[in-house]
Amino acid sequence: MSFRITLRLKLALVALTLLALPWVGYRYVQEMEGFLLEAQQQALLATARAVATALHERPQLLRVKPAQNDAARRAAEDSLRQAAERAEKSGQPVVVEQIGRESVMSEQQSVAEISAILRGLERSTARIWVVNRELKLLALAGSLKPRVPAEHAGGEGAARLWRDILARIVPRPDEDFDEALDEDVLATGREITRALLGAPATRLRNSADGRAVIVSAAHPIWSRDDVVGAVVVEETTHSILSVRSQALERLLLATIAVFALAAAV
């Protein structure tokens, strides 16, 4: 008895093949997202290495003496929380000298040195900060949010309705997120701990409100054989998420077109 492939069986095989196409496409998008994330981590690590290189063998910029006034120290810690907001509003790097602390260099010299190093990087899409071995924030420049808000495509009628439907199915990254530094970022940051032990490291974490994923890279600052501080460079994954959303939208459109063509045939 010979086995015959009926038309119904052929249609079932074609349907299974068509069902596999979206899965293969989605897997490809996931692999692409992983490669882009790894590339972003390496790029941030290269930036942190470049800034740290400018600070190598210059421990006088990071060395501070313990304060005797606890109230002054607490006031200094409170001022650190406002550093990111001041940097975003002014567009200039913020250099924070600890209140109640006396630097080995004069305050004017330290401010001038660190500002000169960070000034060339303040227009980037990353946020850069410098800490010493005591986990004290000394300088901060840049912002995690884009300086120019992204323009959303307009449109009317069916085109706008279709974009709204795609936005619900494939959500785009939210630019309205809290970029403030968490209180425990310095204390619990694994990348900072590893950098202060002498090894560059990267880390993924959520923003304070959970609306964004932040990639951070830390690189040690050396003075001879000792680590005197670390440079941390941060950036959101919004650029990667935008590419992923666009790829998924095109995959969805291609899938609908293929199924519509198959149904017409």
Side-chain angles (χ1 to χ4, degrees):
M1 181 178 178
S2 60
F3 179 74
R4 295 182 58 188
I5 300 179
T6 63
L7 179 60
R8 182 175 297 179
L9 181 58
K10 291 180 180 180
L11 292 176
L13 293 175
V14 171
L16 289 176
T17 304
L18 292 178
L19 288 176
L21 291 178
W23 180 82
V24 173
Y26 182 72
R27 289 293 302 170
Y28 173 77
V29 172
Q30 284 186 318
E31 292 292 332
M32 179 189 66
E33 183 180 3
F35 285 128
L36 291 176
L37 180 59
E38 184 177 356
Q40 184 181 27
Q41 290 175 328
Q42 294 301 319
L44 293 180
L45 197 57
T47 302
R49 184 184 299 111
V51 178
T53 300
L55 294 172
H56 286 336
E57 308 303 332
R58 305 171 76 178
Q60 67 274 12
L61 295 177
L62 306 176
R63 191 179 300 151
V64 292
K65 296 181 180 180
Q68 302 297 328
N69 191 333
D70 291 338
R73 184 168 61 251
R74 286 194 297 268
E77 295 296 335
D78 292 338
S79 68
L80 297 180
R81 300 181 184 178
Q82 304 174 4
E85 297 179 1
R86 295 202 306 271
E88 180 181 2
K89 291 179 180 179
S90 65
Q92 298 293 331
V94 176
V95 178
V96 184
E97 280 290 330
Q98 294 295 315
I99 301 174
R101 292 176 180 264
E102 180 182 340
S103 176
V104 174
M105 292 183 65
S106 67
E107 179 179 354
Q108 292 79 7
Q109 288 176 318
S110 297
V111 169
E113 290 284 349
I114 302 180
S115 295
I117 294 172
L118 298 184
R119 188 175 297 117
L121 301 168
E122 63 184 355
R123 296 184 182 277
S124 65
T125 58
R127 181 170 65 186
I128 306 170
W129 34 292
V130 180
V131 297
N132 60 10
R133 284 198 64 86
E134 288 73 32
L135 295 178
K136 298 303 178 182
L137 180 64
L138 300 179
L140 183 146
S143 173
L144 295 177
K145 295 182 179 180
R147 293 182 178 274
V148 179
E151 296 183 358
H152 299 282
E156 297 180 356
R160 184 175 181 180
L161 177 61
W162 177 246
R163 278 192 294 271
D164 291 340
I165 294 175
L166 286 179
R168 292 180 179 275
I169 299 176
V170 185
R172 291 184 173 272
D174 187 2
E175 297 290 350
D176 184 17
F177 63 93
D178 186 5
E179 66 170 349
L181 289 173
D182 292 335
E183 296 181 1
D184 60 344
V185 168
L186 293 176
T188 62
R190 295 186 301 274
E191 78 282 18
I192 302 176
T193 301
R194 291 191 60 185
L196 292 177
L197 292 176
T202 59
R203 177 193 180 195
L204 287 176
R205 63 180 178 86
N206 291 326
S207 60
D209 54 6
R211 294 184 177 182
V213 178
I214 300 174
V215 184
S216 61
H219 196 280
I221 302 172
W222 292 91
S223 176
R224 295 189 178 181
D225 295 332
D226 298 325
V227 177
V228 294
V231 175
V232 182
V233 182
E234 297 179 313
E235 196 174 47
T236 66
T237 59
H238 280 8
S239 59
I240 297 177
L241 294 180
S242 297
V243 173
R244 185 192 67 175
S245 298
Q246 294 176 7
L248 289 178
E249 288 177 3
R250 293 175 182 176
L251 175 63
L252 178 61
L253 291 175
T255 301
I256 294 176
V258 170
F259 274 96
L261 181 61
V265 174

